[in-house]
Amino acid sequence: DVQLVESGGGLVQSGGSLSLSCVASGSSGFAFKSALMKWVRQAPGKGLEYVAGISDGGGFTHYEDSVRGRFTISRDNAKNTVYLQMNNLTTEDTAMYYCAKDKSIFGISFDTRGQGTQVTVSS
């Protein structure tokens, strides 16, 4: 089994920044350094939305259009952690943010997802 635990969410004013973290753990045989990771989010009353994905080594990243240039996904394989730095936040970014492991860094599919961390942006 793989477990993902997100942290770093909170309340921030529009234009502010937040940094999310997701720590991965698993049974023997789980190698975080080989895992494709992504962040997805779900706003109140809406479906799951892709935010960003990162390759196993961190050399390739991809972003949803509305966050490109404002958000940065990164990872530290030595710490089994993936990050999402969010700058210039807007009220449209208010959502529950989930870290996920998947076979692809694209899209909203996932093999494993964490419990999420709430991000609320006030105007």
Side-chain angles (χ1 to χ4, degrees):
D1 284 358
V2 175
Q3 292 82 43
L4 303 172
V5 179
E6 303 94 337
S7 62
L11 174 64
V12 64
Q13 287 190 327
S14 183
S17 299
L18 280 175
S19 181
L20 307 184
S21 299
C22 170
V23 179
S25 61
S27 55
S28 60
F30 169 63
F32 179 77
K33 64 182 180 181
S34 300
L36 304 180
M37 302 296 295
K38 64 177 70 171
W39 288 92
V40 296
R41 66 186 181 185
Q42 187 164 21
K46 296 187 178 180
L48 206 58
E49 178 185 33
Y50 173 80
V51 177
I54 188 167
S55 61
D56 50 359
F60 182 80
T61 57
H62 184 265
Y63 298 91
E64 193 268 330
D65 286 347
S66 69
V67 309
R68 186 176 292 114
R70 301 188 298 121
F71 290 11
T72 302
I73 187 171
S74 61
R75 65 191 294 163
D76 185 340
N77 285 348
K79 296 182 178 180
N80 280 16
T81 302
V82 62
Y83 305 96
L84 186 68
Q85 176 65 41
M86 305 185 295
N87 298 328
N88 195 20
L89 286 159
T90 75
T91 56
E92 296 297 309
D93 297 314
T94 294
M96 183 71 79
Y97 283 71
Y98 300 94
C99 160
K101 173 186 170 296
D102 193 34
K103 300 177 181 63
S104 169
I105 70 166
F106 306 105
I108 60 172
S109 61
F110 58 88
D111 293 333
T112 304
R113 191 183 76 177
Q115 293 299 306
T117 186
Q118 178 68 40
V119 171
T120 303
V121 185
S122 63
S123 58

